[in-house]
Amino acid sequence: MYEHKPLVRSRGRARVVAALAGTVALALLSAGCGGQGPSTASSSRTVTYWLWDANQLPGYQACAEGFEERNPGVDVEITQLGWENYWTKLTASMIAGTEPDVFTNHITKFAQFVDLDVLAPLDELPATAGIKDSDYQAGLAASWKGQDGHRYGAPKDWDTVAMFYNKEMTDSAGISTDALNSLAWNPVDGGTFEKALARLTIDSQGRRGDEPGFDKNDVKTYGLATNDAGETDGQTQWSAFTGSAGWKYTDQKAWGRHYNYDQKSFQSTIDWYFGLAEKGYLAPFENFSPSNGPDVQVGSGSAAIALHGSWMTKTFYGIKDLDVGTALTPVGPSGKRATMMNGLADALTRRAADKPAAQKWVAYLASDACQTTVGKQGVVFPATEAGTAAAIAAYEKAGIDVTAFTRPVADRTTFSFPITNYAADVAALMKPAMQDVYANGRPVGSLTTTNRQINLILSQGD
């Protein structure tokens, strides 16, 4: 995610918002949220709403205008912050009692916020009690139910992962679009997917990865861009491969109590995936930085293919002088493709100053009226079917084929983020462990010890 300057919208006027001070550990939040008194963040007839994606801001400004027309006397004030700043400042605001009434939530943060009792259960409020799982793309709404059975998020959008590729490079390598959409992989020899990466990889002397004399230590163009080591979930790195190997993160679909990073199917996949870097086909770990993401690598010609999420579609297709295409993720040992399907949701804070107005705003955000408005922007796929249809039409109008992202949903080859307690602790252990495997060649078997440590933490909640 890219960071952007914070913006606010109030009845069409934008202004810069003063940044909330300080980096605060999420663990401190429980100490600051004991009281349930009214927040000082909002006036009595203003609903405050936070999100992090600047590309989606225009769509939600339009939604706010539609909501205000339907609810005279209520203003919606939108604050947009970059991804990294967003969570730090959201946490700080909750400690200070200045949190927004409504905010965009991510599934990896969900368990912690529920545990800290800062979210209002939507199924207990008049305006949002009618939200049903069936209102949205399959699987999205159920993910936002806590272990207590209450709903703590109203689905707003969804995303999947596919391959973005440089058409000039694939054409030059003699790899057709049909071939890209028919690739398969396995952890033994990499299958046709690895062969394609080898063909697309070129050293400084112009030799391809499948040609004699190729120098893996002097690569000019990598077959596959790097996007860090993937931490806990590997969403835009290795998840499409572990998923198509038939592996599952935890012992149950949601609120698992045991991670499976010690299983052979996971470790053999990770060993093969990061082994692509040792062969010179995958860009090395050190090539990634916030300013040199997969889109920049493909755009600059230093990589031919990038695995990335549908939210990056406009970014890739907006790169100057790049003829880009999208293709499905490869078929794996399971005989199927797989892609992570994530979905964001709008959450209502318990201390919202004007809860009647705030819950109406959440309900409007979850409605076809708003989600169709957002869909027409052609930036993300909204959670309702009507919103998704509007987005597909907007992409088609812009000449962008998004089949690589929508087909897995229709084919039901998607899977979800792992949802467990102690998500921050799991990430704190997995991030350095995965980076060590990728960057330093540490044996993949070392993840068995990391998995044991993670499961010990999870067992504390039993």
Side-chain angles (χ1 to χ4, degrees), residues 145-285:
K145 290 180 180 177
Q147 296 180 81
D148 59 5
H150 289 299
R151 188 186 305 282
Y152 292 97
K156 66 188 291 97
D157 58 35
W158 61 268
D159 56 70
T160 53
V161 174
M163 296 191 298
F164 291 95
Y165 63 92
N166 183 318
K167 288 185 177 180
E168 183 178 349
M169 290 183 178
T170 55
D171 287 346
S172 177
I175 303 173
S176 68
T177 298
D178 287 344
L180 285 168
N181 280 300
S182 302
L183 297 176
W185 78 277
N186 67 74
V188 178
D189 62 13
T192 55
F193 176 72
E194 184 171 325
K195 286 182 172 63
L197 293 185
R199 184 67 183 162
L200 290 165
T201 302
I202 305 174
D203 68 16
S204 63
Q205 301 302 311
R207 295 168 298 210
R208 295 185 179 275
D210 59 356
E211 295 177 341
F214 168 72
D215 187 351
K216 68 178 184 179
N217 298 312
D218 188 21
V219 176
K220 180 181 178 182
T221 300
Y222 293 94
L224 185 61
T226 178
N227 194 10
D228 206 342
E231 298 188 10
T232 305
D233 54 79
Q235 181 184 18
T236 56
Q237 295 87 7
W238 40 261
S239 71
F241 303 105
T242 54
S244 60
W247 178 79
K248 293 179 172 52
Y249 292 93
T250 58
D251 58 334
Q252 52 193 45
K253 190 172 182 179
W255 304 106
R257 297 179 179 277
H258 186 282
Y259 274 88
N260 297 322
Y261 299 122
D262 57 346
Q263 291 184 353
K264 182 179 179 180
S265 58
F266 175 77
Q267 294 189 3
S268 63
T269 300
I270 296 301
D271 195 36
W272 163 78
Y273 178 77
F274 289 137
L276 294 171
E278 296 176 11
K279 297 174 183 178
Y281 307 154
L282 166 66
F285 174 80

Side-chain angles (χ1 to χ4, degrees), residues 49-406:
Y49 178 53
W50 286 19
L51 51 78
W52 64 76
D53 190 349
N55 292 327
Q56 294 190 54
L57 183 60
Y60 285 101
Q61 287 176 326
C63 282
E65 291 169 2
F67 176 78
E68 289 170 353
E69 289 176 2
R70 290 167 172 78
N71 297 273
V74 179
D75 294 340
V76 176
E77 185 177 276
I78 302 178
T79 299
Q80 179 267 316
L81 299 161
W83 170 263
E84 296 294 342
N85 284 339
Y86 184 86
W87 299 107
T88 298
K89 293 177 179 178
L90 180 62
T91 301
S93 73
M94 288 181 174
I95 293 172
T98 58
E99 69 267 34
D101 300 319
V102 181
F103 68 96
T104 300
N105 202 358
H106 193 281
I107 201 69
T108 58
K109 311 291 183 180
F110 173 44
Q112 291 171 304
F113 286 130
V114 169
D115 186 54
L116 294 168
D117 200 30
V118 294
L119 305 180
L122 300 181
D123 51 308
E124 293 186 343
L125 302 173
T128 53
I131 292 176
K132 303 186 296 295
D133 291 2
S134 58
D135 293 338
Y136 308 97
Q137 295 285 356
L140 292 181
S143 297
W144 292 95
K145 290 180 180 177
Q147 296 180 81
D148 59 5
H150 289 299
R151 188 186 305 282
Y152 292 97
K156 66 188 291 97
D157 58 35
W158 61 268
D159 56 70
T160 53
V161 174
M163 296 191 298
F164 291 95
Y165 63 92
N166 183 318
K167 288 185 177 180
E168 183 178 349
M169 290 183 178
T170 55
D171 287 346
S172 177
I175 303 173
S176 68
T177 298
D178 287 344
L180 285 168
N181 280 300
S182 302
L183 297 176
W185 78 277
N186 67 74
V188 178
D189 62 13
T192 55
F193 176 72
E194 184 171 325
K195 286 182 172 63
L197 293 185
R199 184 67 183 162
L200 290 165
T201 302
I202 305 174
D203 68 16
S204 63
Q205 301 302 311
R207 295 168 298 210
R208 295 185 179 275
D210 59 356
E211 295 177 341
F214 168 72
D215 187 351
K216 68 178 184 179
N217 298 312
D218 188 21
V219 176
K220 180 181 178 182
T221 300
Y222 293 94
L224 185 61
T226 178
N227 194 10
D228 206 342
E231 298 188 10
T232 305
D233 54 79
Q235 181 184 18
T236 56
Q237 295 87 7
W238 40 261
S239 71
F241 303 105
T242 54
S244 60
W247 178 79
K248 293 179 172 52
Y249 292 93
T250 58
D251 58 334
Q252 52 193 45
K253 190 172 182 179
W255 304 106
R257 297 179 179 277
H258 186 282
Y259 274 88
N260 297 322
Y261 299 122
D262 57 346
Q263 291 184 353
K264 182 179 179 180
S265 58
F266 175 77
Q267 294 189 3
S268 63
T269 300
I270 296 301
D271 195 36
W272 163 78
Y273 178 77
F274 289 137
L276 294 171
E278 296 176 11
K279 297 174 183 178
Y281 307 154
L282 166 66
F285 174 80
E286 59 265 23
N287 280 28
F288 173 79
S289 71
S291 60
N292 192 41
D295 56 313
V296 177
Q297 294 167 54
V298 172
S300 67
S302 65
I305 292 176
L307 282 163
H308 223 315
S310 53
W311 65 89
M312 291 292 291
T313 300
K314 277 292 184 72
T315 298
F316 274 94
Y317 278 84
I319 297 174
K320 186 178 180 181
D321 299 326
L322 176 66
D323 187 7
V324 66
T326 55
L328 296 161
T329 57
V331 174
S334 67
K336 298 179 180 179
R337 308 178 194 280
T339 173
M340 178 176 283
M341 183 179 182
N342 184 34
L344 306 181
D346 291 308
L348 175 65
T349 57
R350 283 190 179 274
R351 297 187 295 191
D354 189 341
K355 192 167 287 184
Q359 62 181 281
K360 286 182 180 180
W361 170 237
V362 172
Y364 187 73
L365 287 168
S367 70
D368 275 338
C370 176
Q371 299 209 2
T372 300
T373 296
V374 172
K376 289 177 180 178
Q377 300 287 318
V379 175
V380 293
F381 297 110
T384 66
E385 289 188 8
T388 294
I392 292 172
Y395 281 123
E396 288 179 347
K397 185 176 181 180
I400 299 173
D401 181 4
V402 292
T403 304
F405 299 107
T406 58

